Amino acid sequence: FTPAALSQFMASTDLWLIAYALAHGLTVVTRERSEPERKNKVKIPDACLGVGAEYISPFDLLTREGAVFILSPTG
């Protein structure tokens, strides 16, 4: 990563989110997608992979938790 990208990431709350999840054995939920070739921005999935933290998408979370949405008529 570029020095500017690392500096921006180190000043962001993403760093703390990933650190907290890693320290407590939690999973980070993010809409970001991994872009390992991108050097001008640190993406959450790439940072998670770099430190061994688990991450998933919101849709994977809903599937994992067995979320069911039921539409009911209004009236």
Side-chain angles (χ1 to χ4, degrees):
F1 294 105
T2 64
L6 290 173
S7 178
Q8 182 182 19
F9 180 75
M10 296 301 284
S12 75
T13 55
D14 292 349
L15 170 71
W16 295 102
L17 177 72
I18 295 166
Y20 188 89
L22 186 61
H24 296 278
L26 301 172
T27 301
V28 176
V29 180
T30 180
R31 291 182 52 207
E32 288 187 354
R33 295 181 187 262
S34 177
E35 293 184 57
E37 300 303 317
R38 186 173 183 180
K39 303 301 179 201
N40 64 340
K41 181 172 179 13
V42 179
K43 296 285 199 146
I44 291 172
D46 299 323
C48 286
L49 289 172
V51 296
E54 183 182 2
Y55 74 93
I56 59 173
S57 74
F59 299 109
D60 290 336
L61 172 68
L62 293 171
T63 300
R64 178 190 284 185
E65 296 299 319
V68 177
F69 298 95
I70 301 170
L71 297 176
S72 61
T74 59

